[in-house]
Amino acid sequence: MTAALAAISFTAPWVLVSLAVLPILWLILRAVPPAPIRRFFPAVTLLLGEKDKESVSDRTPWWLLLLRILATAAIIVGLAGPVLNPSRFQYGSGPLLLILDASWAGSTGWPSNLEQIDAQLTEAGRAGRPVSIMRLTEPEVPVFQAAEAWRGRLPGLMPMPWQPTDKQIAQTLEALGQIEGDFDTNWFSDKIAYPRHAQVLNALQSRGAVTVYQNSEPVLGMTPAVYQDGVIQLTANRSEPGPVRQVTLLAQGRDPAGVMRVLQSSVLVFEENQTQAQVDLALPSELRGRITRFEIQGQRSAGALTLTDDSLRRREIALIAGTLNREGLELLSPLHYLTQVLVPTADFVDGGLLEVLPANPDAIVLADVAKLSEAEQAGVIKWVEQGGLLLRYAGPRMAASDLGRDAEDTLLPVRLRSGGRSVGGAMSWGEAKGLAPFPENSPFYGLDIPGDVTVTTQVMAQPDPNLADRVIASLSDGTPLVTRKPLGLGQVVLFHVTADAEWSSLPLSGLFVEMLDRLAVASAAKSRQESQLQGTTWAPIQVMDGFGTLSDAGNLAGVDGVELVAGTIGPDLRPGLYESGKQKLALNVLSADTVLRPVTWPSDVPIKGQEVNTETPIGGLLLSLALLLLTVDVIASLALSGRLGLAKVAAVALGTAFLVPEAQAQTPEETDFALSATHELVLAHVMTGNAEVDDIAGAGMRGLAQTLFFRTSVEPANPIGVDLERDELAFFPLLYWPVTPDQPQPSAEAYAKLNAYLRSGGMILFDTRDADIARFGAASPNGRKLQQLAAPLNIPSLEPIPRDHVLTRAFYLLQDFPGRYAGTEVWVEAAPMDAEQIEGMPFRNLNDNVTPVVIGGNDWAGAWAVDRNGQALLPVGRGYAGERQRELANRFGVNLVMHVLTGNYKSDQVHVPALLDRLGQ
């Protein structure tokens, strides 16, 4: 009893003083008798003037007095604002500052933070304390206001994908210094230590008491995925050692249809007292190229995921040389050094030039290829204009040809002089030339140039107004070494030296690899280093919020390459996906060397959990009880005074007892369902219990609804999944019923509803979804299940859709009714035996009934299914033929809905001759 009373508090406890009046009220009510019963009796005149020797006044019955006292007490207690399970915070007086780390580490528990803050605002409001809220990841000068003013701002408080930086800590300390007077602080910690954390704590403790609220669970994070030795290495960290724990890692990416899905999952195990765990994931190159992110299942945090970039994707390169390899002289092959550079990070597309173009490689390298046939040149030009990279190397063949002499060749960046230039060979008086520093507009800007890289021979570029803009690398004497020009969406790059060591020592140096990397021909599988990114600028494509959700980067400025890998993540450097040319780089919250360290609090700082007791106001319940007791009091008073008969008392009592919400004809859930199903036209599908099938069915009905909205005057609302055992069916004109072998058999009550639905004009589209393996019937498990499901239904005789059925012309003219699959028969109600063919009319004189069932196995929902953005979910066929099949499926869906809404109205055309004859036409 004591514990129950302790769980109740009052918002206006002073009202309870009125309970002291109850004893006085008892005496007053006890002294006043109820009104006497009046009866008219003629003989009473004989008693006039007579007096009783003893006079005893009648009293109000004790139970009626108790009833009135209880009603009065309920009113007093109800007006005092009783609250069940109130929050038990220890508050002093004066301002209260709620400070939040608000970093990615607290994102998973962010809803708990908001609930705790809301509860504390409630208590502060009761105590009349001004409150301010401050986030360390976005510090502002605290402004103390009434607690209720902050409640509406809570939904706008979001965690950031970074921890408080040094700059933000400095801003926080400056802002705290601008607050006048002392204040108490409740600190919502994310449990992860960061620099200068102690300074903030000292500043807060100097102004008042500090209480910390933090979750008991350790923080989990992922470091960037690494592709090494043919496998993807995934590493996860936790902030505190503990018992053995398993977490599931999900690899997400787009399937061939472009839909974001979980492509692979793997279990990662933290051993006992270990804070780091690793797992290797072996995936085929095509699947690996589709992955866009890895994340820890159940963690809604930017730090618990890692975005992927070019480091996991092996590029496809086509290498074509102008001369054949000589047996036993592989080192003299023009492609030898290129092959050695690209083998670790690229896959090679073999074949001639016309053979590799259909494979659409990432880059094509032509080593000393001078002449291309007309077909080859046209194909390469088209490929480059669509975004390809053509990388060409000079050589003796190019130097001896007249390629690009008289006019600029489309597949060369510049015009060339005839012959080559020898600057350091045995027949030359000069010395070999080194490389000049790369200009700022060059993709090679910032790369270190080794002193031993020299060039002895090169092909020369002819002077041209565009030459200066197209040179991206030159020799120390200013002659072009590498030139580039854009062509459509792609580009053409020419090295004016050979790809082997015959004309220069460049292929023997590490600079050769770095230059290919900058051109996005080779992408290092290891993490990028500062030296590799000097001189590059990366534009943000997508950035993450604290929960790990990606959004468009908008107009955010580009970032210097060195800053991208060496800078501190914060407001000016947001985690996300960045792009430079055709290269992509992912900036994740955690780096490879990040260690999650828990924050350490001094012993004098109290630490509390984030459990929140849900407060339940019960004042309204007590006032309702008082109203009910007063109603009973009125009835009892009337009965005692003889003004209400026993039958009336029973009737009123029963009426009062049933004046409760349970007397409604429908439950709130049923009412909501009815409103959702009837406020607009709604298409429905039967829930089978198979989550994947039900999701596709729902997406299919959504796609059909969108098709109807854009093509007809029918504007359906969002579709609804129907539970045959619970939901009313009369609201829906059409039910789509996908058949699965393991779905449960409906109950007798459900079949009664289904038969009533069919008799009242509803239609059920049964879809066995097995047309790819069986025809209609018992040839498949789905077909056998359909026979079991349909046996108790009142289904008429069926026939395959005849060519003159209204479904063939309800809106579109159709003779085929495919879904994801095509070719099987679709069955409808058979036509009457007396249906006649009218001369000159394309169809028979049929009745106006709607076929109650349509049965087939073409998986129509799979063809109609779209996602929330209106994109098709599942593939249908291949190429143009597949899209044509999807279009016919959509047209069949439109005809189906128009038929169920309008009946066989087009059959009325059989009466046109009689009508025209009657009108004298």
Side-chain angles (χ1 to χ4, degrees):
M1 183 65 179
T2 304
L5 293 177
I8 300 177
S9 67
F10 298 89
T11 58
W14 54 268
V15 178
L16 297 177
V17 177
S18 303
L19 292 175
V21 184
L22 291 181
I24 301 174
L25 183 62
W26 174 278
L27 296 176
I28 294 174
L29 293 176
R30 183 68 175 171
V32 178
I37 303 174
R38 296 181 181 272
R39 294 283 186 269
F40 293 98
F41 183 59
V44 77
T45 56
L46 299 175
L47 301 178
L48 293 177
E50 296 292 332
K51 294 183 178 180
D52 293 333
K53 295 180 179 180
E54 294 182 3
S55 178
V56 180
S57 62
D58 194 10
R59 298 179 181 277
T60 303
W62 68 270
W63 56 267
L64 186 58
L65 288 176
L66 180 61
L67 190 69
R68 293 172 179 175
I69 293 298
L70 289 177
T72 306
I75 292 175
I76 294 173
V77 177
L79 293 177
V83 177
L84 187 64
N85 294 325
S87 300
R88 302 295 181 183
F89 297 120
Q90 299 296 326
Y91 283 103
S93 59
L96 174 66
L97 176 63
L98 303 180
I99 193 166
L100 299 85
D101 285 345
S103 70
W104 62 266
S107 299
T108 301
W110 192 253
S112 299
N113 279 348
L114 295 185
E115 289 181 9
Q116 184 76 279
I117 292 173
D118 183 74
Q120 295 194 15
L121 289 177
T122 300
E123 288 295 321
R126 292 171 184 165
R129 304 187 67 182
V131 179
S132 183
I133 299 178
M134 183 180 188
R135 289 180 294 170
L136 295 182
T137 49
E138 276 193 336
E140 297 177 352
V141 177
V143 177
F144 290 94
Q145 297 177 324
E148 195 61 32
W150 285 100
R151 194 180 304 276
R153 307 182 195 177
L154 291 185
L157 296 178
M158 294 294 176
M160 295 298 163
W162 57 79
Q163 289 188 296
T165 62
D166 287 344
K167 180 179 178 181
Q168 291 171 329
I169 294 297
Q171 293 173 348
T172 299
L173 296 174
E174 181 181 356
L176 294 177
Q178 299 181 28
I179 302 177
E180 297 181 359
D182 292 336
F183 53 87
D184 293 335
T185 302
N186 287 349
W187 191 331
F188 291 85
S189 171
D190 293 340
K191 294 191 68 175
I192 298 298
Y194 46 84
R196 305 182 67 181
H197 179 277
Q199 289 182 264
V200 179
L201 178 61
N202 293 335
L204 293 173
Q205 286 184 311
S206 67
R207 309 295 292 275
V210 177
T211 303
V212 174
Y213 294 84
Q214 65 183 19
N215 200 324
S216 59
E217 293 294 324
V219 178
L220 299 180
M222 282 192 70
T223 60
V226 177
Y227 182 71
Q228 188 171 356
D229 298 330
V231 297
I232 301 175
Q233 296 179 354
L234 301 174
T235 304
N237 296 334
R238 59 178 175 179
S239 59
E240 303 171 22
V244 176
R245 179 177 179 181
Q246 290 187 353
V247 296
T248 302
L249 303 184
L250 304 179
Q252 296 192 354
R254 299 191 179 277
D255 64 10
V259 180
M260 186 64 70
R261 296 184 182 278
V262 175
L263 303 180
Q264 186 74 11
S265 63
S266 180
V267 175
L268 183 145
V269 180
F270 287 97
E271 299 296 341
E272 186 173 3
N273 295 326
Q274 296 297 313
T275 59
Q276 188 176 84
Q278 180 175 310
V279 66
D280 293 339
L281 196 60
L283 297 175
S285 59
E286 191 216 348
L287 185 59
R288 187 173 63 248
R290 293 184 179 277
I291 295 176
T292 59
R293 63 194 291 166
F294 296 94
E295 64 181 35
I296 301 176
Q297 187 177 31
Q299 298 292 313
R300 191 167 175 242
S301 164
L305 64 86
T306 175
L307 302 176
T308 63
D309 51 23
D310 293 339
S311 61
L312 297 187
R313 179 176 175 269
R314 291 177 66 88
R315 295 185 170 274
E316 294 183 345
I317 310 295
L319 300 179
I320 298 177
T323 58
L324 297 177
N325 293 343
R326 287 171 288 180
E327 183 177 358
L329 298 177
E330 286 79 5
L331 292 178
L332 300 181
S333 167
L335 300 178
H336 172 75
Y337 295 101
L338 283 171
T339 302
Q340 297 302 311
V341 169
L342 299 176
V343 159
T345 61
D347 294 324
F348 297 116
V349 181
D350 298 325
L353 192 54
L354 292 178
E355 295 173 346
V356 302
L357 286 175
N360 192 26
D362 294 289
I364 295 178
V365 179
L366 301 181
D368 196 20
V369 176
K371 289 291 186 178
L372 298 177
S373 67
E374 293 184 4
E376 290 175 333
Q377 182 154 355
V380 173
I381 291 175
K382 181 179 180 181
W383 172 79
V384 174
E385 289 177 341
Q386 293 176 350
L389 169 65
L390 178 63
L391 180 61
R392 305 191 69 169
Y393 285 88
R397 288 174 175 267
M398 182 176 290
S401 70
D402 57 356
L403 183 65
R405 301 295 188 264
D406 300 329
E408 180 181 318
D409 189 275
T410 307
L411 296 179
L412 284 177
V414 294
R415 295 172 58 196
L416 301 177
R417 293 183 181 180
S418 59
R421 177 201 183 197
S422 179
V423 293
M427 303 300 295
S428 172
W429 293 98
E431 297 181 355
K433 303 295 182 182
L435 274 63
F438 299 116
E440 292 186 1
N441 63 344
S442 170
F444 312 133
Y445 178 72
L447 295 180
D448 293 330
I449 301 175
D452 58 351
V453 174
T454 57
V455 175
T456 58
T457 306
Q458 68 180 130
V459 293
M460 298 292 293
Q462 293 193 32
D464 189 272
N466 298 322
L467 180 60
D469 296 333
R470 296 181 179 180
V471 175
I472 57 177
S474 57
L475 298 181
S476 56
D477 61 358
T479 55
L481 174 64
V482 185
T483 54
R484 178 181 65 175
K485 78 170 180 180
L487 181 59
L489 299 177
Q491 57 182 332
V492 179
V493 179
L494 172 63
F495 278 74
H496 290 240
V497 294
T498 57
D500 56 18
E502 185 176 354
W503 285 14
S504 72
S505 61
L506 178 62
L508 302 177
S509 68
L511 179 62
F512 187 67
V513 180
E514 295 175 338
M515 294 175 74
L516 291 177
D517 185 36
R518 289 287 183 92
L519 292 174
V521 178
S523 294
K526 59 183 180 180
S527 301
R528 298 184 182 274
Q529 306 297 324
E530 295 181 36
S531 60
Q532 296 176 296
L533 299 178
Q534 286 183 350
T536 62
T537 300
W538 297 77
I541 306 172
Q542 292 179 307
V543 292
M544 276 193 294
D545 62 12
F547 298 109
T549 303
L550 287 173
S551 60
D552 186 74
N555 297 322
L556 291 179
V559 179
D560 179 73
V562 175
E563 178 68 16
L564 191 62
V565 297
T568 301
I569 293 178
D572 300 326
L573 183 61
R574 296 174 178 265
L577 199 60
Y578 290 76
E579 184 178 53
S580 178
K582 295 187 66 175
Q583 300 182 84
K584 288 184 174 60
L585 191 149
L587 179 61
N588 292 294
V589 173
L590 272 62
S591 62
D593 55 352
T594 299
V595 178
L596 301 179
R597 294 186 175 87
V599 62
T600 302
W601 298 98
S603 58
D604 59 340
V605 176
I607 302 175
K608 299 183 178 180
Q610 293 185 336
E611 297 78 12
V612 179
N613 293 326
T614 303
E615 296 184 347
T616 306
I618 58 176
L621 181 62
L622 291 175
L623 293 176
S624 299
L625 176 62
L627 181 61
L628 180 61
L629 293 175
L630 292 176
T631 303
V632 175
D633 176 79
V634 171
I635 297 171
S637 299
L638 292 175
L640 291 175
S641 64
R643 297 176 182 176
L644 194 65
L646 185 59
K648 293 182 180 179
V649 173
V652 173
L654 289 175
T656 304
F658 286 102
L659 285 176
V660 291
E662 286 74 8
Q664 298 178 357
Q666 291 182 323
T667 64
E669 292 78 7
E670 292 173 336
T671 301
D672 293 342
F673 179 82
L675 291 175
S676 300
T678 56
H679 76 289
E680 290 184 77
L681 174 67
V682 175
L683 304 179
H685 62 94
V686 175
M687 304 294 289
T688 65
N690 185 314
E692 182 178 359
V693 173
D694 291 341
D695 289 344
I696 293 176
M701 303 312 288
R702 179 170 61 243
L704 178 57
Q706 291 182 9
T707 301
L708 289 164
F709 181 86
F710 289 114
R711 302 189 185 186
T712 72
S713 59
V714 180
E715 298 181 357
N718 291 329
I720 291 179
V722 172
D723 186 343
L724 296 178
E725 306 295 338
R726 180 190 63 198
D727 298 330
E728 177 58 52
L729 307 180
F731 303 135
F732 310 105
L734 173 67
L735 285 180
Y736 174 76
W737 192 334
V739 179
T740 60
D742 54 353
Q743 62 182 269
Q745 193 82 5
S747 64
E749 292 77 9
Y751 274 118
K753 288 196 296 183
L754 286 168
N755 283 321
Y757 173 74
L758 295 176
R759 287 193 299 269
S760 60
M763 176 191 288
I764 300 178
L765 173 60
F766 288 100
D767 190 353
T768 57
R769 305 174 301 105
D770 56 359
D772 58 331
I773 59 174
R775 296 177 61 85
F776 173 72
S780 71
N782 291 25
R784 290 189 291 271
K785 186 64 179 182
L786 173 60
Q787 291 181 343
Q788 298 175 14
L789 294 174
L793 294 177
N794 186 18
I795 297 178
S797 300
L798 303 176
E799 67 176 352
I801 297 181
R803 299 182 65 84
D804 60 349
H805 196 278
V806 175
L807 275 175
T808 65
R809 53 180 49 80
F811 193 85
Y812 290 104
L813 297 178
L814 297 174
Q815 288 300 326
D816 296 317
F817 315 100
R820 286 192 72 201
Y821 315 119
T824 62
E825 296 175 337
V826 180
W827 294 70
V828 295
E829 181 182 4
M833 297 295 295
D834 57 351
E836 299 179 356
Q837 180 75 40
I838 305 300
E839 184 178 355
M841 298 303 296
F843 40 78
R844 291 169 289 175
N845 180 15
L846 301 176
N847 58 27
D848 286 338
N849 291 334
V850 174
T851 175
V853 295
V854 177
I855 301 178
N858 291 339
D859 190 10
W860 288 289
W864 298 334
V866 298
D867 59 16
R868 297 292 180 183
N869 298 321
Q871 300 297 318
L873 283 179
L874 302 176
V876 176
R878 293 184 178 180
Y880 174 79
E883 292 306 313
R884 175 62 179 170
Q885 182 173 327
R886 190 191 301 277
E887 172 62 20
L888 290 178
N890 287 330
R891 293 186 179 186
F892 170 65
V894 172
N895 277 17
L896 198 67
V897 175
M898 299 302 289
H899 173 50
V900 75
L901 294 179
T902 62
N904 291 342
Y905 76 101
K906 289 206 172 183
S907 293
D908 290 338
Q909 294 185 33
V910 298
H911 303 297
V912 170
L915 294 174
L916 294 178
D917 182 64
R918 180 172 297 181
L919 293 173
Q921 298 296 324

